[in-house]
Amino acid sequence: TLTVEEVYKDRDQFAALVREVAAPDVGRMGIEILSFTIKDVYDDVQYLQSLGKAQTASVKRDADSGVAEANRDAGIREAECEKSAMDVKYSTDTKIEDNARMYKLQKANFDQEINTAKAESQLAYELQAAKIRQRIRNEEIEIDIVERRKQIEIETQEINRKDCELSATVKLPAEAESYRVQTIAEGKRTQTVEQARAEAERIKQIGSAEAYAIEQVGKAEAERMRMKANVYKMYGDAAIMNIVLESLPKIAAEVAAPLAKTEEIVLIGGNDQTTGDVARLVGQLPPAINALTGVDLSKVLGKIPGAKA
């Protein structure tokens, strides 16, 4: 006996049991069951349909879980494959970069060696060319030196020839003329020197005579001044008074010089006032003489017997 769930779930077992139960009955009717198919199993209350839904949901759930697990496994596998592929790619790229770097390094080394070889070759070429140019220049210099030596020899011979020609045509006559002019100049110079010496001696004699005369005049003047000083010393204030009195006319002349141009002088006032003015003018004379000569006229007159200041 099968349960409803077993009938619904295990259709093959249900079909085998149905065949096992029905075969004897239909066999007695002369019918042999060779094969049959259970098209559907259902009920009126939709119990089996509900079981189908649960089964369907379970199957779907299992299917979704399986799909998710499959997707997960597929993602993991895909990631692992991608990782492996990336590892292979990175490894390949690294090898490619390493190979490229090695290629570039080797190429750079090769280029450096090639450039070094080219530079050395160029330098060797330039050095050899410079040596050749230097050798050519040295030979040119040697040629120039030889040509200059020859030119100098030719010029020396030409100079000697011209010197001989000048000696014959110009130098000897010029030397003779120079000697004549020099002799004449020496004679004139000697004459001029002698004349200058004579003139200097004459001026010296005249200067000595004039100096002697000036010396004698100075001595005479000094003697006169000495004698005059002795006289002043001997006579004292009287001599000084004599000098003052001799100077008074000159002083009066200098004072009266402006008055010489005056045609007329008019005095206004009485006789007493005029006399007083004259007395005051005379009274101012000693201070004026003292200011001009430094001699106190009142004291000098006081020392003279019979004089009254």
Side-chain angles (χ1 to χ4, degrees):
T1 302
L2 296 174
T3 62
V4 177
E5 288 81 2
E6 291 176 349
V7 172
Y8 186 77
K9 292 179 180 180
D10 194 357
R11 300 290 181 92
D12 292 336
Q13 186 178 4
F14 176 65
L17 290 175
V18 170
R19 183 176 182 176
E20 181 180 355
V21 172
D25 293 335
V26 295
R28 285 192 295 269
M29 289 185 298
I31 300 171
E32 182 180 1
I33 299 174
L34 296 176
S35 64
F36 71 96
T37 300
I38 298 174
K39 294 177 64 177
D40 192 11
V41 177
Y42 60 91
D43 62 330
D44 294 335
V45 295
Q46 296 182 352
Y47 177 76
L48 295 176
Q49 187 177 359
S50 298
L51 291 176
K53 290 180 179 179
Q55 184 68 27
T56 301
S58 177
V59 171
K60 286 184 178 180
R61 183 182 67 251
D62 293 340
D64 292 337
S65 297
V67 170
E69 290 178 357
N71 290 332
R72 183 196 62 190
D73 295 338
I76 292 171
R77 183 62 181 168
E78 183 179 1
E80 290 177 352
C81 292
E82 289 180 357
K83 180 178 179 299
S84 299
M86 293 301 293
D87 291 339
V88 173
K89 182 178 181 299
Y90 291 153
S91 177
T92 304
D93 292 340
T94 302
K95 290 180 180 180
I96 292 172
E97 291 294 331
D98 290 338
N99 293 330
R101 182 173 58 82
M102 292 299 296
Y103 168 75
K104 290 180 180 179
L105 289 175
Q106 291 179 358
K107 185 176 182 300
N109 292 329
F110 293 155
D111 292 339
Q112 183 178 2
E113 292 177 359
I114 292 171
N115 293 330
T116 302
K118 288 182 178 179
E120 291 177 353
S121 176
Q122 184 67 25
L123 289 175
Y125 171 76
E126 292 178 356
L127 180 61
Q128 186 65 28
K131 289 181 179 179
I132 294 172
R133 287 195 298 269
Q134 184 64 34
R135 190 179 302 113
I136 294 171
R137 180 58 182 164
N138 292 334
E139 292 178 357
E140 290 177 352
I141 292 172
E142 290 293 334
I143 294 171
D144 291 338
I145 291 173
V146 172
E147 290 179 353
R148 289 182 182 180
R149 287 177 180 174
K150 294 296 183 182
Q151 186 67 27
I152 290 170
E153 291 177 359
I154 294 171
E155 291 178 356
T156 302
Q157 293 176 0
E158 182 66 19
I159 290 170
N160 292 331
R161 186 188 67 78
K162 289 184 178 181
D163 190 25
C164 293
E165 183 179 354
L166 288 173
S167 296
T169 58
V170 178
K171 189 174 181 180
L172 293 177
E175 288 180 354
E177 181 65 20
S178 175
Y179 179 75
R180 186 182 68 81
V181 172
Q182 183 177 0
T183 303
I184 294 172
E186 288 290 336
K188 289 183 178 180
R189 185 179 66 81
T190 303
Q191 181 181 1
T192 303
V193 170
E194 293 299 329
Q195 289 178 355
R197 287 178 180 175
E199 182 66 19
E201 185 65 24
R202 185 181 68 81
I203 293 171
K204 181 179 179 182
Q205 295 295 331
I206 293 172
S208 298
E210 290 180 353
Y212 179 76
I214 292 170
E215 182 181 1
Q216 295 300 321
V217 171
K219 288 181 178 180
E221 183 67 21
E223 183 65 21
R224 187 180 68 82
M225 293 297 293
R226 186 182 63 78
M227 293 176 66
K228 190 174 182 180
N230 290 331
V231 171
Y232 288 160
K233 184 177 181 181
M234 183 181 298
Y235 292 100
D237 294 336
I240 296 172
M241 185 62 185
N242 184 28
I243 295 172
V244 172
L245 292 176
E246 289 178 355
S247 300
L248 283 177
K250 296 180 180 180
I251 296 172
E254 293 295 331
V255 172
L259 297 176
K261 299 179 181 180
T262 304
E263 295 179 356
E264 183 179 1
I265 297 175
V266 178
L267 297 176
I268 301 174
N271 294 329
D272 295 336
Q273 185 177 359
T274 302
T275 303
D277 292 336
V278 173
R280 281 195 300 274
L281 179 61
V282 174
Q284 293 176 358
L285 185 59
I289 293 173
N290 187 13
L292 293 173
T293 63
V295 177
D296 190 350
L297 187 60
S298 299
K299 291 182 180 180
V300 174
L301 292 175
K303 294 179 181 180
I304 298 174
K308 186 177 181 181

mmCIF file of all heavy atoms in Angstrom, residues 95-111:
data_model
loop_
_atom_site.group_PDB
_atom_site.id
_atom_site.type_symbol
_atom_site.label_atom_id
_atom_site.label_comp_id
_atom_site.label_asym_id
_atom_site.label_seq_id
_atom_site.Cartn_x
_atom_site.Cartn_y
_atom_site.Cartn_z
ATOM 1 N N LYS A 95 57.654 38.818 -18.341
ATOM 2 C CA LYS A 95 58.710 38.245 -19.173
ATOM 3 C C LYS A 95 58.940 39.089 -20.419
ATOM 4 O O LYS A 95 60.084 39.313 -20.839
ATOM 5 C CB LYS A 95 58.340 36.811 -19.561
ATOM 6 C CG LYS A 95 58.392 35.831 -18.395
ATOM 7 C CD LYS A 95 58.026 34.428 -18.842
ATOM 8 C CE LYS A 95 58.085 33.446 -17.668
ATOM 9 N NZ LYS A 95 57.723 32.070 -18.098
ATOM 10 N N ILE A 96 57.791 39.577 -20.979
ATOM 11 C CA ILE A 96 57.923 40.422 -22.172
ATOM 12 C C ILE A 96 58.681 41.708 -21.833
ATOM 13 O O ILE A 96 59.584 42.142 -22.567
ATOM 14 C CB ILE A 96 56.530 40.743 -22.754
ATOM 15 C CG1 ILE A 96 55.899 39.470 -23.327
ATOM 16 C CG2 ILE A 96 56.629 41.823 -23.824
ATOM 17 C CD1 ILE A 96 54.447 39.645 -23.741
ATOM 18 N N GLU A 97 58.290 42.347 -20.667
ATOM 19 C CA GLU A 97 58.975 43.571 -20.250
ATOM 20 C C GLU A 97 60.443 43.298 -19.949
ATOM 21 O O GLU A 97 61.322 44.095 -20.307
ATOM 22 C CB GLU A 97 58.286 44.178 -19.020
ATOM 23 C CG GLU A 97 56.909 44.745 -19.288
ATOM 24 C CD GLU A 97 56.964 45.941 -20.213
ATOM 25 O OE1 GLU A 97 58.000 46.650 -20.205
ATOM 26 O OE2 GLU A 97 56.000 46.151 -20.962
ATOM 27 N N ASP A 98 60.692 42.155 -19.254
ATOM 28 C CA ASP A 98 62.091 41.801 -18.971
ATOM 29 C C ASP A 98 62.864 41.612 -20.265
ATOM 30 O O ASP A 98 64.005 42.090 -20.406
ATOM 31 C CB ASP A 98 62.148 40.528 -18.122
ATOM 32 C CG ASP A 98 61.650 40.769 -16.705
ATOM 33 O OD1 ASP A 98 61.671 41.945 -16.262
ATOM 34 O OD2 ASP A 98 61.244 39.793 -16.039
ATOM 35 N N ASN A 99 62.219 40.909 -21.189
ATOM 36 C CA ASN A 99 62.892 40.700 -22.473
ATOM 37 C C ASN A 99 63.107 42.024 -23.204
ATOM 38 O O ASN A 99 64.169 42.255 -23.798
ATOM 39 C CB ASN A 99 62.067 39.739 -23.339
ATOM 40 C CG ASN A 99 62.035 38.330 -22.759
ATOM 41 O OD1 ASN A 99 62.984 37.897 -22.094
ATOM 42 N ND2 ASN A 99 60.944 37.603 -22.996
ATOM 43 N N ALA A 100 62.041 42.910 -23.128
ATOM 44 C CA ALA A 100 62.183 44.220 -23.776
ATOM 45 C C ALA A 100 63.282 45.037 -23.106
ATOM 46 O O ALA A 100 64.086 45.706 -23.770
ATOM 47 C CB ALA A 100 60.851 44.975 -23.729
ATOM 48 N N ARG A 101 63.297 45.008 -21.734
ATOM 49 C CA ARG A 101 64.338 45.746 -21.016
ATOM 50 C C ARG A 101 65.719 45.200 -21.347
ATOM 51 O O ARG A 101 66.661 45.974 -21.593
ATOM 52 C CB ARG A 101 64.080 45.648 -19.514
ATOM 53 C CG ARG A 101 65.072 46.425 -18.656
ATOM 54 C CD ARG A 101 64.637 46.396 -17.205
ATOM 55 N NE ARG A 101 64.533 45.024 -16.718
ATOM 56 C CZ ARG A 101 65.570 44.304 -16.283
ATOM 57 N NH1 ARG A 101 66.791 44.822 -16.293
ATOM 58 N NH2 ARG A 101 65.403 43.071 -15.855
ATOM 59 N N MET A 102 65.838 43.887 -21.335
ATOM 60 C CA MET A 102 67.119 43.295 -21.696
ATOM 61 C C MET A 102 67.505 43.660 -23.120
ATOM 62 O O MET A 102 68.672 43.962 -23.416
ATOM 63 C CB MET A 102 67.051 41.772 -21.532
ATOM 64 C CG MET A 102 66.914 41.313 -20.079
ATOM 65 S SD MET A 102 68.316 41.834 -19.062
ATOM 66 C CE MET A 102 69.640 40.926 -19.855
ATOM 67 N N TYR A 103 66.475 43.673 -23.994
ATOM 68 C CA TYR A 103 66.754 44.047 -25.379
ATOM 69 C C TYR A 103 67.233 45.496 -25.461
ATOM 70 O O TYR A 103 68.213 45.808 -26.154
ATOM 71 C CB TYR A 103 65.487 43.854 -26.214
ATOM 72 C CG TYR A 103 65.584 44.472 -27.588
ATOM 73 C CD1 TYR A 103 66.349 43.879 -28.595
ATOM 74 C CD2 TYR A 103 64.912 45.662 -27.870
ATOM 75 C CE1 TYR A 103 66.436 44.460 -29.849
ATOM 76 C CE2 TYR A 103 65.003 46.240 -29.119
ATOM 77 C CZ TYR A 103 65.764 45.644 -30.112
ATOM 78 O OH TYR A 103 65.861 46.223 -31.342
ATOM 79 N N LYS A 104 66.512 46.383 -24.715
ATOM 80 C CA LYS A 104 66.909 47.792 -24.734
ATOM 81 C C LYS A 104 68.293 47.987 -24.132
ATOM 82 O O LYS A 104 69.101 48.778 -24.641
ATOM 83 C CB LYS A 104 65.881 48.630 -23.979
ATOM 84 C CG LYS A 104 64.547 48.737 -24.691
ATOM 85 C CD LYS A 104 63.567 49.578 -23.888
ATOM 86 C CE LYS A 104 62.219 49.681 -24.600
ATOM 87 N NZ LYS A 104 61.246 50.476 -23.813
ATOM 88 N N LEU A 105 68.560 47.274 -22.992
ATOM 89 C CA LEU A 105 69.883 47.384 -22.378
ATOM 90 C C LEU A 105 70.971 46.903 -23.335
ATOM 91 O O LEU A 105 72.014 47.560 -23.508
ATOM 92 C CB LEU A 105 69.928 46.586 -21.076
ATOM 93 C CG LEU A 105 69.128 47.157 -19.897
ATOM 94 C CD1 LEU A 105 69.168 46.197 -18.715
ATOM 95 C CD2 LEU A 105 69.699 48.512 -19.479
ATOM 96 N N GLN A 106 70.713 45.738 -23.924
ATOM 97 C CA GLN A 106 71.697 45.226 -24.873
ATOM 98 C C GLN A 106 71.842 46.160 -26.069
ATOM 99 O O GLN A 106 72.957 46.417 -26.543
ATOM 100 C CB GLN A 106 71.286 43.820 -25.329
ATOM 101 C CG GLN A 106 71.393 42.764 -24.226
ATOM 102 C CD GLN A 106 70.949 41.393 -24.703
ATOM 103 O OE1 GLN A 106 70.520 41.241 -25.849
ATOM 104 N NE2 GLN A 106 71.057 40.394 -23.822
ATOM 105 N N LYS A 107 70.673 46.690 -26.524
ATOM 106 C CA LYS A 107 70.734 47.625 -27.651
ATOM 107 C C LYS A 107 71.495 48.890 -27.265
ATOM 108 O O LYS A 107 72.296 49.428 -28.044
ATOM 109 C CB LYS A 107 69.320 47.990 -28.105
ATOM 110 C CG LYS A 107 69.280 48.867 -29.354
ATOM 111 C CD LYS A 107 67.849 49.102 -29.781
ATOM 112 C CE LYS A 107 67.805 49.942 -31.064
ATOM 113 N NZ LYS A 107 68.426 51.251 -30.896
ATOM 114 N N ALA A 108 71.223 49.409 -25.998
ATOM 115 C CA ALA A 108 71.948 50.592 -25.529
ATOM 116 C C ALA A 108 73.441 50.312 -25.434
ATOM 117 O O ALA A 108 74.272 51.151 -25.817
ATOM 118 C CB ALA A 108 71.399 51.043 -24.175
ATOM 119 N N ASN A 109 73.783 49.124 -24.909
ATOM 120 C CA ASN A 109 75.206 48.760 -24.837
ATOM 121 C C ASN A 109 75.811 48.669 -26.229
ATOM 122 O O ASN A 109 76.925 49.156 -26.476
ATOM 123 C CB ASN A 109 75.366 47.438 -24.097
ATOM 124 C CG ASN A 109 75.006 47.548 -22.624
ATOM 125 O OD1 ASN A 109 75.197 48.611 -22.018
ATOM 126 N ND2 ASN A 109 74.481 46.483 -22.041
ATOM 127 N N PHE A 110 75.040 48.043 -27.128
ATOM 128 C CA PHE A 110 75.535 47.942 -28.502
ATOM 129 C C PHE A 110 75.683 49.335 -29.128
ATOM 130 O O PHE A 110 76.690 49.635 -29.786
ATOM 131 C CB PHE A 110 74.586 47.081 -29.340
ATOM 132 C CG PHE A 110 74.565 45.632 -28.921
ATOM 133 C CD1 PHE A 110 73.462 44.826 -29.176
ATOM 134 C CD2 PHE A 110 75.655 45.066 -28.255
ATOM 135 C CE1 PHE A 110 73.447 43.498 -28.786
ATOM 136 C CE2 PHE A 110 75.639 43.735 -27.863
ATOM 137 C CZ PHE A 110 74.531 42.951 -28.123
ATOM 138 N N ASP A 111 74.625 50.194 -28.886
ATOM 139 C CA ASP A 111 74.700 51.556 -29.433
ATOM 140 C C ASP A 111 75.876 52.318 -28.839
ATOM 141 O O ASP A 111 76.570 53.069 -29.544
ATOM 142 C CB ASP A 111 73.393 52.306 -29.148
ATOM 143 C CG ASP A 111 72.224 51.728 -29.933
ATOM 144 O OD1 ASP A 111 72.478 51.052 -30.954
ATOM 145 O OD2 ASP A 111 71.063 51.955 -29.527
#
